[in-house]
Amino acid sequence: MAREQLFVGLEIGTTKICVVVSESLPDGSIHILGVGETPSRGVRKGEIIDFSSVSECVREAIIDAEEKSNVEIRSVWVAISGAHLQSFNNRGTLILPEDHNAINDEDLRMVEMNAKEVILPPSNAFLHTIIQNYHVDGNKNVINPEGMMGSRLDADFHIVHGVKTRIQNTLRCLENMKLDIEDVVMNSLASAQVVLTQHQKDLGALVVDIGGGTTDFIVYVDGAVRHSGVLALGGDHITNDISIGLRLPIVRAELLKIEEGCALSPERSLGGKINLKNDPGFSGCEIDRNAFDTVVHARMNEILHLLKREVERGCHLDLLGAGVMLTGGCARLKGVATLTKEIFQLPVQVTTMDNLSGPTSMFENPQYSTAIGLTKYANAVYSQIPEETFFSKITNTLGGLFGRK
Amino acid sequence: MSALTSSLQFSASPYRIVGVGNAGVNFLDHLLLNNPFFLGLVALNNDLDALTSSVVPMQLALPPEQELLAALEEVLPRFEAEIQGASVILFCAGLGGETASTLLPHLAAAAKKAKKLTLACVTQPFSFEGKRAQSLAAEAASSLKQICDGVVILDNNQVASSGASKAGLGETFTASDEAMQVFLPNMVAMLSSKGPVRINRSHLLKALSRAGEKNYFGYGQASGSNRLHEAVERLFKSPQLQGGRVLAKCSAIFMQLRGPKDLSFAEAQAAMQEVERVVGEESDIQLSVSAEEPAGAALQIFILAVEEKEEKKEIIPNVEKISASIPKKSEPSEPSPAAPVPKASIAELPLDLLELNLPEEPVEFQKSAASKPVTKVKQTQGALNFTAAQRGRFDKSEPTIVEGEDLDTPTYLRLGLKLI
């Protein structure tokens, strides 16, 4: 496998485990070679609760992806989620000596280290340190200060951290399969790579990935990550509510949600009855659509209000000129864009992924945005960093996580 | 339930737990059957059959209900003799019955007059017990609040609602007994905590003495490597705590963590964090930590929370009605609920009441629990927790708590939306 051109993204989701194999094209876009997928078992709210089941599912998804892409997978980029992930913004400052010629790579690394000098809970580890902007002697919003003269260098970072053992558990699933782990990427950061253009990031945008177990979000303002987080709420909660409220088995409730679910207020309900046909182990019945819509709307409305409150903690909504991009499996729920628009009072769109080629059914479906985004993230990382520097960076990241150098 | 209190060791009795009436004596019986080392229990009842079958060593037979008030002059001195030597008197009873509702305020007044720290832990009657029982209970509770240093009122309806809707009557009453069985020893332990981190007793009493308050409690225990997390999980599954939701509106929360010597600082810290995560960091939580349980004992966590209600209408205690039927006293200084003993402020309480020094040597039984023909209480399987049942597929997963609300419970249920 040629590392420079092929990338494999692995998302261990609550609903499905997805492996995307893609190759980078000279124009910077990526071409999807194949997607392996298997229903997920042993994952709740984005976190592993049954290690052996998850390992088995990952194995199946990898084999599926290998068959479809005709590529032998040796290394993967892994997406991670869960309510344990937290973020904050912090500034690092470096006073440069008078005889310092110009800001160099080492200075940038030092200022990043300074920004990371914060006390995390003892069980947590850094996941991402994402640069927002540099300031050189008060000159704000410097994109790349390398080579510039200055006496004081400040840098704002968006820092993401999470519970070390929970991150490790995700990675241990892959150890038995003799797969190398290239890097671990927060779900929403990966999704943003494919659902947002640079222009949208500059305008200000919120990416909301509503998955099965979690709702991941990331906010871009002025081209940089301003805020991110995870709510341990997702499509599974809607299914669970339907199952309890309408007394349906979980499997039937899930199917009903996908086929008939609508996030809009029950006042706009079509009314009438929904006829559920007989299935093996389930005798058909009729359910009231108004009751069904009440259950779905109540949950979706709550998730979006909680999300709005969470986003507002990190950034003012007026700064999001490009509006809200919805992705993830639940973005396909009818009426979700309208409801989001009503709550956020911002333009909302269910995303499609640009700058991709390959099996169209894959990238038109928002539930694959994270796994595809991982490969695009990988492509971006590779294209920006020289190979030897890149490998040392990855070694440092994972070495720190596993306690080995 | 037997495991809940069996590891408790009470080496002395600077306190008396006084059970009044059938329910009160029942509570003590349950307590003693599960922990025969529990000392300082006194049973008062006019049901002689029930009293004879009780395992409580110290017993005081009362005259029949209709003669109860008339015989107060005879009853009170006997009661005062029983509580001599103790500094804390904790009354327990089920309000609503004639015996407890009528007698308890008088007993509390007598204890208070004897300068004892007087607390009452009572249950409100089930709604099916009728309006008369409710009214008697309300009057008695109101009187107790005026007399006692602290009153904890447990709502039986809330306890019953945690069980299955088709639970038998016996099971429902047993649930109430079991709730008290958890509460009483933990309350005593909280009052007599001696560890380096302990609850300020004056704060506890101040919270319990506020008028119009509502109390909630929860308990969880667990052993093993993940004991703290499991104990906290069980704590929030306690019927009264409703998954921790009620704690968010409580003005004072008292938490007690007890375990063997290997109880670590990190566990105490984690317990506080877990509870703060549910109730919010701004909440007033007071913690008591004790690592004096025997090796191998389970880690136990107990929470008592006080919700300060807005007083809509103060219930005027109908103590006149009670006092009218009391025979005229020869001495004007006799204690009477009609003129409740002025509640001493916490600052005025004798120092030894605020800082108890427990004797090291165990006090001998006055009457062995084993000498009584013990009727084994049938242990029944616990009823399915209401909150847990409503979490569906998330039953066994870590709850998503935001501002005290368990978001794994369906939204429409929490909002009270009706599905037509």
Side-chain angles (χ1 to χ4, degrees), chain A residues 44-45 166 232-233 236-237 239-241 244-246 250 288 291 294-295 298-299 302 306 309, chain B residues 390-394 397-400 402-403 407-415 417 419-420:
Chain A
R44 278 270 186 279
K45 300 180 186 177
R166 297 193 188 188
L233 296 166
D236 274 4
H237 285 82
T239 307
N240 191 50
D241 292 3
I244 293 172
L246 305 177
I250 283 283
D288 185 83
T294 302
V295 173
R299 177 60 82 173
E302 181 178 61
L306 283 171
R309 203 174 62 185
Chain B
Q390 296 304 321
R391 299 178 80 235
R393 73 192 310 181
F394 299 110
S397 59
E398 194 177 356
T400 304
V402 175
E403 291 176 354
L407 300 188
D408 292 337
T409 306
T411 314
Y412 75 90
L413 278 179
R414 283 181 279 115
L415 295 178
L417 300 177
L419 305 181
I420 305 159

Side-chain angles (χ1 to χ4, degrees), chain B residues 81-352:
Chain B
E82 292 286 7
I83 62 170
Q84 221 169 22
S87 47
V88 181
I89 311 298
L90 178 55
F91 290 99
C92 66
L95 296 185
E98 292 279 353
T99 311
S101 306
T102 314
L103 190 62
L104 210 49
H106 295 280
L107 296 175
K112 194 73 192 126
K113 195 196 165 205
K115 294 194 185 301
K116 313 286 184 192
L117 184 65
T118 309
L119 299 166
C121 179
V122 291
T123 57
Q124 281 181 330
F126 292 99
S127 52
F128 61 74
E129 290 183 65
K131 281 186 182 171
R132 178 173 159 71
Q134 301 286 351
S135 148
L136 270 175
E139 285 169 16
S142 180
S143 299
L144 285 173
K145 277 183 184 174
Q146 290 194 17
I147 298 163
C148 296
D149 294 302
V151 181
V152 178
I153 299 174
L154 305 178
D155 188 352
N156 265 344
N157 293 308
Q158 206 171 28
V159 175
S161 69
S162 64
S165 58
K166 288 183 180 174
L169 197 62
E171 284 176 59
T172 312
F173 279 105
T174 305
S176 175
D177 289 345
E178 286 177 347
M180 197 64 98
Q181 188 189 324
V182 167
F183 181 82
L184 287 174
N186 279 293
M187 187 69 195
V188 170
M190 200 179 262
L191 285 166
S192 54
S193 62
K194 290 194 294 185
V197 183
R198 57 178 154 177
I199 288 165
N200 185 319
R201 191 185 294 176
S202 59
H203 290 175
L204 175 64
L205 296 176
K206 192 177 168 192
L208 293 178
S209 62
R210 285 175 200 151
E213 86 285 6
K214 207 169 177 183
N215 313 109
Y216 305 96
F217 76 91
Y219 177 85
Q221 69 163 32
S223 307
S225 57
N226 197 24
R227 61 186 182 179
L228 178 81
H229 183 74
E230 286 170 18
V232 171
E233 200 171 298
R234 284 171 197 160
L235 169 84
F236 287 123
K237 284 185 178 175
S238 299
Q240 284 213 330
L241 296 191
Q242 297 169 23
R245 283 194 297 280
V246 295
L247 296 180
K249 54 188 178 182
C250 288
S251 55
I253 297 168
F254 301 92
M255 181 163 81
Q256 181 174 251
L257 188 66
R258 290 185 310 172
K261 282 202 170 63
D262 64 349
L263 175 66
S264 65
F265 169 77
E267 282 178 312
Q269 199 177 24
M272 196 64 166
Q273 281 171 352
E274 292 244 5
V275 174
E276 274 184 347
R277 190 167 62 86
V278 173
V279 303
E281 285 181 5
E282 63 283 351
S283 299
D284 176 18
I285 305 174
Q286 293 194 41
L287 177 69
S288 149
V289 183
S290 157
E292 291 171 358
E293 299 295 310
L299 184 143
Q300 302 167 56
I301 182 163
F302 173 76
I303 272 189
L304 173 65
V306 181
E307 179 194 355
E308 226 173 318
K309 282 201 302 188
E310 283 180 31
E311 279 187 272
K312 290 173 189 168
K313 186 182 170 186
E314 199 180 350
I315 302 165
I316 313 277
N318 196 358
V319 286
E320 288 82 6
K321 196 172 101 182
I322 301 168
S323 61
S325 52
I326 302 174
K328 295 267 182 191
K329 308 281 185 304
S330 53
E331 289 175 17
S333 61
E334 272 304 297
S336 161
V341 178
K343 202 190 297 183
S345 72
I346 302 305
E348 290 166 3
L349 283 170
L351 191 64
D352 63 326

Side-chain angles (χ1 to χ4, degrees), chain B residues 161-164 381-389 395:
Chain B
S161 69
S162 64
Q381 186 179 359
L384 188 64
N385 186 298
F386 174 77
T387 314
D395 186 16

